[in-house]
Amino acid sequence: MSLDHAILGFLRERPMSGYDLKTMCFDGRAAHFWTADQAQVYRTLDRLESRALVRSRTERQRSRPDRKIYSITDAGTSELDRWLRETPPPPPLRDPFLIRLRFADSLPSEDLIGLLRERRGALQTRLEALRERAAGGAHTATTPDRAALLERLTLDAAMADTRATIDWLDDSIELIEAESEQARELPPGTQRRLFAPPTAAEGAKR
Amino acid sequence: MSLDHAILGFLRERPMSGYDLKTMCFDGRAAHFWTADQAQVYRTLDRLESRALVRSRTERQRSRPDRKIYSITDAGTSELDRWLRETPPPPPLRDPFLIRLRFADSLPSEDLIGLLRERRGALQTRLEALRERAAGGAHTATTPDRAALLERLTLDAAMADTRATIDWLDDSIELIEAESEQARELPPGTQRRLFAPPTAAEGAKR
DNA sequence: CACAAGTATATGACGAGACATATATGTTAT
DNA sequence: ATAACATATATGTCTCGTCATATACTTGTG
């Protein structure tokens, strides 16, 4: 259902072809909060048209394949506005990386830390890409344009999320390093232990 | 694939039935990073057994339905350890709420802000639940147990993520309020504008 | 006594999403 | 020349995940 409304949203801004939606939107402006497969975009457009939420006209091009330009209908606009007011509960968090981490106690400490550092690197790269997009973005906080502000906020969300995860990884690496030090000092059997704060990271925020 | 390995991970800790996996793990200890439908758990166990990664024995109970207790095989343990070392790129972010936000410029400011506040409330509730779980958790940062530490880190991840999103929502609400003030002062046509920092929130962190 | 809830496993049906492949044409690079 | 690439749409197929439903026994509640 999400993809349906994402497409309605983009088509309300301007009519577009499936190709445009895929390349400009789901591989571009929306890539940091929603992606979509090409096949899925076309099939969703079909379905939306059959429900009369969008309509299409074929645009003939010289020396190019025809384009099917979709535009939103009044019914589509109503449906979008109705959907915008819904407040479904946030979906449960699901992160495959946390599955890996949760069961990685069978790995040597070095490998485990390597795993976390690798992930950190990937997220750092992602964060830099997001920052570049934000810098080049339309709404550099001066346009009194609601849509541009909201687009900017979606980028902020992605950046906030990525940065928080990086910080968590840094804290986690430290904790694991401290714990593996400790294990070296106190070989199995010796069950005395050093003090460590409540896994740090968890200050008295909010 | 993720569910396969989550199940292998839990079964490596101790043999369990599908019912246990569903109620204790995917509705309990793992719920903050992975969930699974009951039907999917049983079907995945079937598949893992047919691949000889787990085996089952039927435990007869008096005055209760039989239980099929699954345990991990050597092949299962190898597969889990192999998988643990994989470093796939982080999956693209996907957040249905951000679709809604992105296209919510057709809503009146009050409704838009209501949407954000509602979400904030839901996340605050989630955060409190996570904090309780963390407080009651096994690893209160004193056990020198790698598995308990890693379990704790997954909770930290969920809390960090949730808190970051709440902070972002607070910043966003402020920005939208500021913008809608501004719009009231400068009715359409009047294209002068007030100063606003680069959507705040984006300090010079990291 | 009826009914709901807890324990326990299983199947049918469907939608969402990913991947591969097919088709057609023109331009650009090797 | 030929291959690769960009433009443009479409279909087949598969996995993952969700929802509904079926079965069967027991305990607790009204």
Side-chain angles (χ1 to χ4, degrees):
Chain A
M1 298 288 95
S2 286
L3 182 59
D4 295 44
H5 295 95
I7 288 179
L8 289 177
F10 282 120
L11 291 183
R12 189 175 56 178
E13 294 186 346
R14 66 180 187 80
M16 270 186 277
S17 68
Y19 187 81
D20 292 337
L21 281 165
K22 171 58 177 159
T23 56
M24 294 168 48
C25 301
F26 296 109
D27 286 347
R29 292 210 307 276
H32 61 286
F33 64 89
W34 204 263
T35 58
D37 188 77
Q38 177 260 121
Q40 210 188 339
V41 169
Y42 284 108
R43 274 196 265 247
T44 303
L45 283 168
D46 273 353
R47 189 157 33 82
L48 290 174
E49 188 163 29
S50 78
R51 293 206 289 150
L53 303 178
V54 304
R55 79 170 61 84
S56 67
R57 62 189 159 78
T58 301
E59 191 183 87
R60 227 133 289 172
Q61 297 187 115
R62 19 151 192 77
S63 75
R64 282 284 173 82
D66 293 354
R67 288 160 53 83
K68 265 171 88 175
I69 310 294
Y70 289 87
S71 25
I72 195 167
T73 62
D74 288 348
T77 305
S78 304
E79 167 54 24
L80 179 58
D81 275 327
R82 184 200 61 72
W83 178 80
L84 284 173
R85 290 166 201 277
E86 281 182 11
T87 54
L93 299 172
R94 332 186 86 219
D95 185 349
F97 181 76
L98 293 182
I99 302 179
R100 191 169 270 110
L101 177 63
R102 171 62 180 76
F103 299 114
D105 56 316
S106 64
L107 297 185
S109 292
E110 302 75 51
D111 293 13
L112 172 54
I113 288 169
L115 215 60
L116 297 173
R117 282 202 221 283
E118 197 281 336
R119 172 56 60 126
R120 191 198 190 283
L123 291 181
Q124 186 67 46
T125 303
R126 165 177 291 181
L127 181 56
E128 269 141 34
L130 287 167
R131 278 213 257 253
E132 260 178 63
R133 296 247 338 262
H139 182 93
T140 320
T142 39
T143 331
D145 174 352
R146 177 57 60 89
L149 172 59
L150 296 182
E151 177 150 36
R152 173 57 200 243
L153 292 181
T154 64
L155 270 170
D156 286 348
M159 288 188 281
D161 189 89
T162 308
R163 209 183 315 107
T165 306
I166 290 173
D167 290 345
W168 165 77
L169 282 167
D170 286 340
D171 293 338
S172 299
I173 290 166
E174 264 186 62
L175 283 165
I176 290 168
E177 277 169 346
E179 193 242 22
S180 71
E181 279 304 307
Q182 196 178 333
R184 210 166 302 149
E185 285 161 30
L186 308 172
T190 325
Q191 288 303 28
R192 234 190 70 263
R193 52 195 69 118
L194 304 172
F195 171 79
T199 67
E202 283 317 300
K205 307 161 196 166
R206 221 161 283 272
Chain B
M1 297 288 94
S2 286
L3 182 59
D4 295 44
H5 296 94
I7 288 179
L8 289 177
F10 282 120
L11 291 182
R12 190 174 57 179
E13 295 186 345
R14 65 181 188 80
M16 269 187 279
S17 67
Y19 188 80
D20 292 337
L21 281 165
K22 172 57 177 160
T23 56
M24 294 168 49
C25 301
F26 296 109
D27 285 347
R29 292 211 306 278
H32 61 287
F33 64 89
W34 203 262
T35 58
D37 187 77
Q38 176 259 121
Q40 209 189 342
V41 169
Y42 285 108
R43 275 195 265 250
T44 303
L45 283 168
D46 273 353
R47 188 157 34 82
L48 290 175
E49 187 163 29
S50 79
R51 292 206 290 150
L53 302 178
V54 305
R55 79 170 64 82
S56 67
R57 62 192 158 77
T58 300
E59 192 183 85
R60 227 133 289 170
Q61 297 185 116
R62 16 148 195 82
S63 76
R64 283 284 174 81
D66 293 355
R67 289 160 51 83
K68 266 172 87 175
I69 309 293
Y70 288 87
S71 26
I72 195 167
T73 63
D74 288 349
T77 304
S78 304
E79 168 54 24
L80 179 57
D81 276 327
R82 185 199 62 70
W83 178 79
L84 285 172
R85 290 166 202 278
E86 281 182 9
T87 55
L93 300 172
R94 330 188 87 219
D95 186 347
F97 181 75
L98 294 182
I99 302 179
R100 192 169 269 110
L101 178 62
R102 171 62 180 75
F103 298 114
D105 56 316
S106 63
L107 297 184
S109 292
E110 302 76 49
D111 294 14
L112 172 54
I113 288 169
L115 216 61
L116 297 173
R117 282 202 220 282
E118 196 281 336
R119 173 55 60 125
R120 191 198 188 283
L123 292 180
Q124 186 67 45
T125 303
R126 165 177 291 179
L127 181 57
E128 268 141 33
L130 287 167
R131 278 214 258 254
E132 260 177 63
R133 296 241 345 256
H139 183 91
T140 321
T142 40
T143 333
D145 174 350
R146 177 57 59 90
L149 172 60
L150 296 182
E151 179 151 35
R152 172 59 199 242
L153 292 181
T154 63
L155 270 171
D156 287 348
M159 289 188 280
D161 189 89
T162 308
R163 208 182 316 106
T165 306
I166 290 173
D167 289 344
W168 165 78
L169 281 167
D170 286 340
D171 293 338
S172 298
I173 290 167
E174 264 187 61
L175 283 166
I176 290 169
E177 278 170 345
E179 194 241 23
S180 70
E181 279 305 307
Q182 196 178 336
R184 209 166 304 150
E185 284 162 30
L186 308 172
T190 323
Q191 287 302 27
R192 234 189 72 262
R193 53 195 68 117
L194 304 172
F195 172 77
T199 66
E202 284 315 302
K205 306 160 196 167
R206 224 160 281 272

